Amino acid sequence: MSGVDRTENVSPTPSTSSASSNVSAAASSGSWTSFLKSIASFNGDLSSLTAPPFILSPTSLVEYSQYWAEHPDLLLAPTKLVTTEDAGKDTIEAMTLKRMIAVTKWFISTLKSQYCSRNESMGSEKKPLNPFLGEVFVGKWENNGNDLGETFLLSEQVSHHPPVTAYAIENLKNKVLLQGYNGITSSISTTSINIKQYGHALLDYDDLKESYLVTLPPLHIEGLITAAPFVELEGTSYIQSSNGYFTVIEYSGRGWVSGKKNTFKARIYRDQIASSSKENALVTISGQWSGKSYIGKGSSTPSSKNSELFYDAKTANAEHLTVKPIEDQEDTESRKAWQKVAEAIRKSDYNLIHQEKSLIENQQRELRKEERETGKQWQTRWFNQVDYNNKGETDTNLTQPDEFVNLTNLANLSIYNAPLGSLKKSKYDNGDAKHWRFSPEKWKEHPINL
């Protein structure tokens, strides 16, 4: 997902004097001004630009995959929405729509953790640590006495240039698998950083024989001038179900004159063709993805005055996954690999941050150099890259009919590695069609203790 994180506030150690704090603040102010000047004149992808230490997060980007499942009950809720064998057509259709509403609620529940929880805990967004190739992050949401069963996460940095994180989240008891990958490109405008997101998520409910394609919206980071950056979502994202139902989610933020931050409006249609007219909406959901939202039948915009509460992000506490102690982790696991860097960031020890980061980065450069010299190619641990241009003719990873092909056809979305939400026959509907997929066989061959 996007370059933001959820960690503790970065503050000076108790022994830091007020005089040194003032010096640090002045240095930070100067560094921030220099950073703004550097990104204003930078021509490449901003994700490759080195950020000043004081805006770094002690968390690696590979950890962000956990935000997809911090509400396990909502992720698994559709498995409970089933009909009896003797149910009539209308009852079955109504339950199918309820499942699409439930999947939409789960998706909305992921947005606060992904995009604005850092502002609440740290005062502003921080730049995450760039994962190294092969870095992994694993953990699990335990049963905790309910009937949900255990849900586990596998997250792996499958590419460094460009940076791409692939993930798989699975609940074996309920036969639910969420898998996908995220990459970004970024550019600078007058007052903000604009980010296009690549990749997608595929959500499979095996017992229901249903699957869902989920895309993410573009976003921009504002507050640069005031040195208090925050994320605002924009544009449109989609959820396409194999049962035909189609959710269109539009995002907007607080304008100069009016509007509330983190605003969205979602409409659910019987299919993508019906979405050509908003009047065809079966259900409309509206509100703030970081706060309260409301749901109503039809295409009219619901409100707190006359509609049912859909979701309240402020009262729905995120359930954090369990991660084993650092001393029990492998060297490639994120928190062990970045432990010394994270400690230096929390202490605001900028020299030590640079020193420890350089050790890791230089080690990675040596590994890549060795691979080039020996002709070896890096092998991913749990994921394969599937080439959809081959349409299964030469790529043994792709079995037809493929759910991704079917879902993109239903949604009229590009099959290519284009910015999320790109339509077929749009200017982005070309290039390569290589996408990352979870390999259960690789997981069995290369397990890791959770």
Side-chain angles (χ1 to χ4, degrees):
M1 301 198 177
S2 72
V4 290
D5 73 289
R6 185 196 65 237
T7 50
E8 304 236 341
N9 229 333
V10 179
S11 57
T13 57
S15 61
T16 304
S17 67
S18 60
S20 63
S21 296
N22 291 335
V23 171
S24 176
S28 297
S29 177
S31 298
W32 182 259
T33 302
S34 298
F35 180 59
L36 290 181
K37 290 180 179 179
S38 67
I39 62 176
S41 59
F42 191 71
N43 292 323
D45 182 2
L46 290 176
S47 62
S48 64
L49 193 64
T50 300
F54 70 92
I55 65 167
L56 284 178
S57 158
T59 305
S60 171
L61 189 61
V62 79
E63 288 200 28
Y64 292 12
S65 304
Q66 66 185 295
Y67 297 147
W68 284 105
E70 289 197 323
H71 298 280
D73 56 329
L74 297 182
L75 176 64
L76 301 173
T79 63
K80 312 300 180 185
L81 299 174
V82 294
T83 57
T84 58
E85 292 184 1
D86 59 349
K89 181 179 179 181
D90 290 345
T91 301
I92 294 174
E93 186 73 9
M95 191 62 73
T96 306
L97 175 58
K98 284 185 177 181
R99 287 198 294 271
M100 179 51 118
I101 294 172
V103 170
T104 302
K105 178 183 284 188
W106 157 75
F107 175 71
I108 295 300
S109 78
T110 71
L111 299 180
K112 182 181 178 184
S113 290
Q114 290 186 55
Y115 300 115
C116 79
S117 60
R118 277 69 51 196
N119 275 77
E120 296 177 357
S121 63
M122 302 178 72
S124 68
E125 297 295 349
K126 302 290 184 182
K127 185 182 185 299
L129 298 167
N130 288 330
F132 55 83
L133 186 61
E135 181 180 335
V136 298
F137 177 70
V138 301
K140 58 186 177 182
W141 290 268
E142 297 176 297
N143 194 12
N144 293 330
N146 54 40
D147 63 347
L148 299 180
E150 181 182 280
T151 303
F152 67 87
L153 163 71
L154 304 176
S155 183
E156 177 183 355
Q157 193 69 9
V158 293
S159 173
H160 188 65
H161 295 295
V164 177
T165 304
Y167 56 87
I169 297 170
E170 188 166 16
N171 182 290
L172 295 174
K173 179 180 179 179
N174 291 282
K175 298 182 181 179
V176 175
L177 172 64
L178 172 69
Q179 63 169 308
Y181 71 97
N182 294 101
I184 64 169
T185 60
S186 48
S187 60
I188 186 71
S189 66
T190 306
T191 59
S192 64
I193 295 175
N194 302 311
I195 295 175
K196 291 179 180 178
Q197 302 199 74
Y198 290 75
H200 53 261
L202 290 170
L203 176 56
D204 289 292
Y205 295 100
D206 191 59
D207 284 346
L208 298 174
K209 306 303 178 188
E210 280 185 354
S211 57
Y212 296 79
L213 170 66
V214 181
T215 73
L216 289 169
L219 59 93
H220 57 275
I221 300 176
E222 297 187 1
L224 299 181
I225 295 176
T226 58
F230 64 93
V231 170
E232 191 70 86
L233 303 184
E234 61 188 22
T236 307
S237 70
Y238 305 96
I239 304 174
Q240 175 66 62
S241 174
S242 58
N243 61 41
Y245 281 99
F246 187 57
T247 299
V248 180
I249 309 172
E250 298 173 323
Y251 305 85
S252 60
R254 182 171 52 204
W256 289 101
V257 179
S258 62
K260 293 182 178 180
K261 66 177 182 179
N262 307 336
T263 297
F264 80 95
K265 184 177 293 184
R267 289 188 168 94
I268 300 177
Y269 301 90
R270 188 59 191 89
D271 52 37
Q272 187 273 334
I273 296 175
S275 71
S276 60
S277 173
K278 294 180 180 178
E279 299 303 315
N280 292 331
L282 302 173
V283 172
T284 300
I285 305 157
S286 182
Q288 291 177 280
W289 48 263
S290 58
K292 292 182 179 181
S293 52
Y294 299 86
I295 184 171
K297 294 182 179 180
S299 60
S300 299
T301 301
S303 67
S304 58
K305 296 179 181 179
N306 55 17
S307 303
E308 177 186 347
L309 180 68
F310 177 67
Y311 182 68
D312 187 349
K314 291 185 177 179
T315 61
N317 295 325
E319 185 177 330
H320 306 314
L321 83 174
T322 300
V323 179
K324 63 181 179 286
I326 287 178
E327 57 268 24
D328 296 334
Q329 295 182 15
E330 297 180 6
D331 290 342
T332 55
E333 290 190 65
S334 184
R335 293 186 182 178
K336 183 173 183 178
W338 292 103
Q339 181 181 16
K340 293 182 179 180
V341 176
E343 290 173 353
I345 290 173
R346 292 188 176 100
K347 294 176 181 177
S348 299
D349 189 333
Y350 299 156
N351 289 331
L352 187 57
I353 293 171
H354 176 73
Q355 177 182 325
E356 294 296 341
K357 276 182 88 268
S358 296
L359 287 174
I360 295 174
E361 292 163 353
N362 291 334
Q363 182 185 39
Q364 289 298 307
R365 291 189 187 99
E366 287 300 313
L367 287 173
R368 303 290 84 77
K369 179 182 177 182
E370 181 181 332
E371 288 168 0
R372 288 192 299 270
E373 291 175 347
T374 59
K376 293 181 179 179
Q377 186 175 2
W378 176 263
Q379 298 297 315
T380 52
R381 185 165 181 172
W382 301 314
F383 297 87
N384 291 323
Q385 195 171 43
V386 175
D387 188 351
Y388 283 83
N389 268 333
N390 287 330
K391 302 185 184 300
E393 296 170 4
T394 59
D395 195 324
T396 57
N397 292 319
L398 182 57
T399 303
Q400 296 289 351
D402 181 81
E403 64 174 355
F404 177 63
V405 175
N406 293 338
L407 290 168
T408 53
N409 286 337
L410 286 172
N412 193 37
L413 292 174
S414 175
I415 199 173
Y416 293 95
N417 194 5
L420 287 176
S422 297
L423 301 177
K424 293 183 182 296
K425 298 183 179 180
S426 69
K427 65 178 181 179
Y428 297 110
D429 191 30
N430 54 67
D432 77 70
K434 297 177 180 178
H435 301 284
W436 291 98
R437 295 289 178 260
F438 174 56
S439 170
E441 292 77 18
K442 280 190 170 182
W443 166 231
K444 290 178 182 178
E445 292 173 7
H446 307 286
I448 191 170
N449 291 327
L450 298 174

mmCIF file of all heavy atoms in Angstrom, residues 3 43 71 78 90-91 101-102 116 130 137 142 201 208 229 235 237 260 263 277 283 286 377 387 390 392 399 417-418:
data_model
loop_
_atom_site.group_PDB
_atom_site.id
_atom_site.type_symbol
_atom_site.label_atom_id
_atom_site.label_comp_id
_atom_site.label_asym_id
_atom_site.label_seq_id
_atom_site.Cartn_x
_atom_site.Cartn_y
_atom_site.Cartn_z
ATOM 1 N N GLY A 3 3.176 4.945 0.965
ATOM 2 C CA GLY A 3 4.349 5.166 1.799
ATOM 3 C C GLY A 3 4.071 5.866 3.096
ATOM 4 O O GLY A 3 4.517 6.988 3.328
ATOM 5 N N ASN A 43 13.825 15.096 -11.165
ATOM 6 C CA ASN A 43 13.114 14.687 -12.370
ATOM 7 C C ASN A 43 12.652 13.233 -12.341
ATOM 8 O O ASN A 43 11.793 12.845 -13.113
ATOM 9 C CB ASN A 43 14.010 14.898 -13.602
ATOM 10 C CG ASN A 43 14.253 16.364 -13.885
ATOM 11 O OD1 ASN A 43 13.361 17.180 -13.708
ATOM 12 N ND2 ASN A 43 15.471 16.699 -14.303
ATOM 13 N N HIS A 71 -8.861 -5.692 10.758
ATOM 14 C CA HIS A 71 -10.228 -5.960 11.220
ATOM 15 C C HIS A 71 -10.611 -7.342 10.680
ATOM 16 O O HIS A 71 -11.411 -7.458 9.740
ATOM 17 C CB HIS A 71 -11.188 -4.878 10.738
ATOM 18 C CG HIS A 71 -10.873 -3.522 11.259
ATOM 19 N ND1 HIS A 71 -11.229 -3.103 12.529
ATOM 20 C CD2 HIS A 71 -10.188 -2.490 10.703
ATOM 21 C CE1 HIS A 71 -10.794 -1.867 12.726
ATOM 22 N NE2 HIS A 71 -10.163 -1.480 11.634
ATOM 23 N N PRO A 78 -18.196 -11.960 5.174
ATOM 24 C CA PRO A 78 -18.985 -12.533 4.078
ATOM 25 C C PRO A 78 -19.174 -14.040 4.169
ATOM 26 O O PRO A 78 -20.149 -14.579 3.621
ATOM 27 C CB PRO A 78 -18.168 -12.152 2.829
ATOM 28 C CG PRO A 78 -17.464 -10.890 3.215
ATOM 29 C CD PRO A 78 -17.100 -11.117 4.661
ATOM 30 N N ASP A 90 -34.863 -14.702 -5.193
ATOM 31 C CA ASP A 90 -34.790 -13.345 -4.623
ATOM 32 C C ASP A 90 -33.974 -13.332 -3.337
ATOM 33 O O ASP A 90 -33.202 -12.388 -3.086
ATOM 34 C CB ASP A 90 -36.198 -12.816 -4.349
ATOM 35 C CG ASP A 90 -36.969 -12.508 -5.627
ATOM 36 O OD1 ASP A 90 -36.319 -12.437 -6.690
ATOM 37 O OD2 ASP A 90 -38.206 -12.356 -5.560
ATOM 38 N N THR A 91 -34.125 -14.369 -2.534
ATOM 39 C CA THR A 91 -33.360 -14.452 -1.277
ATOM 40 C C THR A 91 -31.869 -14.600 -1.559
ATOM 41 O O THR A 91 -31.034 -13.962 -0.913
ATOM 42 C CB THR A 91 -33.853 -15.651 -0.440
ATOM 43 O OG1 THR A 91 -35.241 -15.492 -0.150
ATOM 44 C CG2 THR A 91 -33.074 -15.737 0.868
ATOM 45 N N ILE A 101 -21.796 -5.660 -0.002
ATOM 46 C CA ILE A 101 -21.798 -4.576 0.986
ATOM 47 C C ILE A 101 -20.778 -4.883 2.087
ATOM 48 O O ILE A 101 -20.040 -3.992 2.533
ATOM 49 C CB ILE A 101 -23.208 -4.392 1.584
ATOM 50 C CG1 ILE A 101 -24.180 -3.889 0.502
ATOM 51 C CG2 ILE A 101 -23.182 -3.414 2.762
ATOM 52 C CD1 ILE A 101 -25.639 -3.870 0.942
ATOM 53 N N ALA A 102 -20.711 -6.138 2.503
ATOM 54 C CA ALA A 102 -19.768 -6.538 3.564
ATOM 55 C C ALA A 102 -18.325 -6.396 3.094
ATOM 56 O O ALA A 102 -17.453 -5.950 3.858
ATOM 57 C CB ALA A 102 -20.050 -7.973 3.995
ATOM 58 N N CYS A 116 -4.071 7.336 7.418
ATOM 59 C CA CYS A 116 -4.085 8.495 8.315
ATOM 60 C C CYS A 116 -3.826 8.192 9.775
ATOM 61 O O CYS A 116 -3.807 9.107 10.598
ATOM 62 C CB CYS A 116 -5.383 9.289 8.171
ATOM 63 S SG CYS A 116 -6.806 8.607 9.013
ATOM 64 N N ASN A 130 12.833 2.062 3.075
ATOM 65 C CA ASN A 130 12.710 1.326 1.822
ATOM 66 C C ASN A 130 13.168 -0.111 2.023
ATOM 67 O O ASN A 130 14.336 -0.351 2.356
ATOM 68 C CB ASN A 130 13.561 1.985 0.732
ATOM 69 C CG ASN A 130 12.978 3.297 0.264
ATOM 70 O OD1 ASN A 130 11.772 3.495 0.289
ATOM 71 N ND2 ASN A 130 13.842 4.204 -0.162
ATOM 72 N N PHE A 137 8.175 -9.814 6.142
ATOM 73 C CA PHE A 137 7.493 -9.489 7.392
ATOM 74 C C PHE A 137 6.344 -10.468 7.546
ATOM 75 O O PHE A 137 5.522 -10.633 6.636
ATOM 76 C CB PHE A 137 6.969 -8.053 7.368
ATOM 77 C CG PHE A 137 6.194 -7.673 8.603
ATOM 78 C CD1 PHE A 137 6.833 -7.510 9.825
ATOM 79 C CD2 PHE A 137 4.814 -7.480 8.551
ATOM 80 C CE1 PHE A 137 6.125 -7.163 10.971
ATOM 81 C CE2 PHE A 137 4.094 -7.130 9.683
ATOM 82 C CZ PHE A 137 4.751 -6.966 10.893
ATOM 83 N N GLU A 142 -4.405 -13.979 16.049
ATOM 84 C CA GLU A 142 -4.743 -15.230 16.717
ATOM 85 C C GLU A 142 -6.243 -15.351 16.968
ATOM 86 O O GLU A 142 -6.988 -14.379 16.855
ATOM 87 C CB GLU A 142 -3.945 -15.336 18.015
ATOM 88 C CG GLU A 142 -2.441 -15.396 17.750
ATOM 89 C CD GLU A 142 -1.603 -15.409 19.006
ATOM 90 O OE1 GLU A 142 -1.647 -14.428 19.759
ATOM 91 O OE2 GLU A 142 -0.896 -16.408 19.218
ATOM 92 N N ALA A 201 -5.462 -6.178 -5.358
ATOM 93 C CA ALA A 201 -5.689 -7.269 -4.408
ATOM 94 C C ALA A 201 -6.734 -8.214 -4.980
ATOM 95 O O ALA A 201 -7.677 -7.775 -5.657
ATOM 96 C CB ALA A 201 -6.151 -6.725 -3.059
ATOM 97 N N LEU A 208 -17.587 -20.023 -0.645
ATOM 98 C CA LEU A 208 -18.638 -19.294 -1.349
ATOM 99 C C LEU A 208 -18.492 -19.393 -2.860
ATOM 100 O O LEU A 208 -19.409 -19.007 -3.595
ATOM 101 C CB LEU A 208 -18.619 -17.815 -0.947
ATOM 102 C CG LEU A 208 -18.873 -17.471 0.521
ATOM 103 C CD1 LEU A 208 -18.664 -15.984 0.761
ATOM 104 C CD2 LEU A 208 -20.288 -17.877 0.921
ATOM 105 N N PRO A 229 3.229 16.897 6.782
ATOM 106 C CA PRO A 229 2.597 16.182 5.671
ATOM 107 C C PRO A 229 1.470 15.251 6.112
ATOM 108 O O PRO A 229 1.514 14.666 7.187
ATOM 109 C CB PRO A 229 3.754 15.403 5.054
ATOM 110 C CG PRO A 229 4.774 15.293 6.128
ATOM 111 C CD PRO A 229 4.647 16.532 6.954
ATOM 112 N N GLY A 235 -9.621 10.681 -6.718
ATOM 113 C CA GLY A 235 -9.971 9.816 -7.838
ATOM 114 C C GLY A 235 -10.941 8.719 -7.459
ATOM 115 O O GLY A 235 -11.815 8.898 -6.603
ATOM 116 N N SER A 237 -11.663 4.242 -7.010
ATOM 117 C CA SER A 237 -11.215 2.848 -6.939
ATOM 118 C C SER A 237 -12.429 1.951 -7.124
ATOM 119 O O SER A 237 -13.585 2.404 -7.055
ATOM 120 C CB SER A 237 -10.508 2.547 -5.616
ATOM 121 O OG SER A 237 -11.416 2.547 -4.532
ATOM 122 N N LYS A 260 -15.107 18.226 3.863
ATOM 123 C CA LYS A 260 -14.444 17.543 4.967
ATOM 124 C C LYS A 260 -13.319 16.682 4.425
ATOM 125 O O LYS A 260 -13.383 16.172 3.314
ATOM 126 C CB LYS A 260 -15.447 16.670 5.723
ATOM 127 C CG LYS A 260 -16.528 17.441 6.463
ATOM 128 C CD LYS A 260 -17.438 16.476 7.222
ATOM 129 C CE LYS A 260 -18.490 17.226 8.019
ATOM 130 N NZ LYS A 260 -19.376 16.290 8.765
ATOM 131 N N THR A 263 -13.099 12.247 2.602
ATOM 132 C CA THR A 263 -14.488 11.984 2.217
ATOM 133 C C THR A 263 -14.556 10.968 1.086
ATOM 134 O O THR A 263 -13.699 10.952 0.197
ATOM 135 C CB THR A 263 -15.173 13.290 1.776
ATOM 136 O OG1 THR A 263 -15.199 14.192 2.889
ATOM 137 C CG2 THR A 263 -16.595 13.040 1.322
ATOM 138 N N SER A 277 -24.696 4.896 -15.282
ATOM 139 C CA SER A 277 -25.610 5.914 -14.748
ATOM 140 C C SER A 277 -25.722 5.761 -13.237
ATOM 141 O O SER A 277 -26.041 4.674 -12.746
ATOM 142 C CB SER A 277 -27.001 5.782 -15.384
ATOM 143 O OG SER A 277 -27.926 6.659 -14.753
ATOM 144 N N VAL A 283 -27.277 0.642 -3.943
ATOM 145 C CA VAL A 283 -26.928 1.107 -2.607
ATOM 146 C C VAL A 283 -25.923 2.242 -2.738
ATOM 147 O O VAL A 283 -25.048 2.205 -3.609
ATOM 148 C CB VAL A 283 -26.299 -0.039 -1.769
ATOM 149 C CG1 VAL A 283 -25.745 0.486 -0.450
ATOM 150 C CG2 VAL A 283 -27.315 -1.142 -1.512
ATOM 151 N N SER A 286 -21.863 6.915 2.013
ATOM 152 C CA SER A 286 -21.193 8.213 1.975
ATOM 153 C C SER A 286 -20.722 8.606 3.372
ATOM 154 O O SER A 286 -21.351 8.266 4.378
ATOM 155 C CB SER A 286 -22.140 9.290 1.423
ATOM 156 O OG SER A 286 -21.505 10.544 1.338
ATOM 157 N N GLN A 377 20.397 -15.102 -10.612
ATOM 158 C CA GLN A 377 19.250 -14.196 -10.529
ATOM 159 C C GLN A 377 18.541 -14.397 -9.192
ATOM 160 O O GLN A 377 18.355 -15.528 -8.752
ATOM 161 C CB GLN A 377 18.270 -14.443 -11.683
ATOM 162 C CG GLN A 377 17.138 -13.435 -11.744
ATOM 163 C CD GLN A 377 16.257 -13.635 -12.970
ATOM 164 O OE1 GLN A 377 16.470 -14.556 -13.750
ATOM 165 N NE2 GLN A 377 15.284 -12.767 -13.146
ATOM 166 N N ASP A 387 2.969 -13.753 -16.195
ATOM 167 C CA ASP A 387 2.866 -12.916 -17.388
ATOM 168 C C ASP A 387 1.530 -13.184 -18.078
ATOM 169 O O ASP A 387 1.350 -14.215 -18.730
ATOM 170 C CB ASP A 387 4.023 -13.202 -18.338
ATOM 171 C CG ASP A 387 4.079 -12.214 -19.501
ATOM 172 O OD1 ASP A 387 3.127 -11.418 -19.649
ATOM 173 O OD2 ASP A 387 5.076 -12.239 -20.239
ATOM 174 N N ASN A 390 0.992 -13.877 -21.937
ATOM 175 C CA ASN A 390 1.131 -15.219 -22.487
ATOM 176 C C ASN A 390 -0.187 -15.986 -22.506
ATOM 177 O O ASN A 390 -0.298 -17.015 -23.158
ATOM 178 C CB ASN A 390 2.159 -16.022 -21.680
ATOM 179 C CG ASN A 390 3.576 -15.556 -21.951
ATOM 180 O OD1 ASN A 390 3.890 -15.088 -23.032
ATOM 181 N ND2 ASN A 390 4.431 -15.674 -20.937
ATOM 182 N N GLY A 392 -1.455 -18.016 -20.664
ATOM 183 C CA GLY A 392 -1.399 -19.412 -20.267
ATOM 184 C C GLY A 392 -0.759 -20.339 -21.276
ATOM 185 O O GLY A 392 -0.601 -21.525 -21.020
ATOM 186 N N THR A 399 -3.250 -20.600 -15.120
ATOM 187 C CA THR A 399 -4.223 -21.600 -15.532
ATOM 188 C C THR A 399 -5.492 -20.907 -15.989
ATOM 189 O O THR A 399 -6.027 -20.048 -15.289
ATOM 190 C CB THR A 399 -4.553 -22.558 -14.374
ATOM 191 O OG1 THR A 399 -3.341 -23.169 -13.916
ATOM 192 C CG2 THR A 399 -5.520 -23.629 -14.831
ATOM 193 N N ASN A 417 0.024 -3.812 -16.388
ATOM 194 C CA ASN A 417 0.599 -3.250 -15.171
ATOM 195 C C ASN A 417 0.517 -1.731 -15.251
ATOM 196 O O ASN A 417 1.515 -1.026 -15.384
ATOM 197 C CB ASN A 417 2.043 -3.715 -15.007
ATOM 198 C CG ASN A 417 2.574 -3.453 -13.615
ATOM 199 O OD1 ASN A 417 1.833 -3.007 -12.743
ATOM 200 N ND2 ASN A 417 3.840 -3.728 -13.412
ATOM 201 N N ALA A 418 -0.698 -1.227 -15.155
ATOM 202 C CA ALA A 418 -1.008 0.187 -15.318
ATOM 203 C C ALA A 418 -1.410 0.779 -13.971
ATOM 204 O O ALA A 418 -1.654 0.043 -13.015
ATOM 205 C CB ALA A 418 -2.149 0.352 -16.323
#
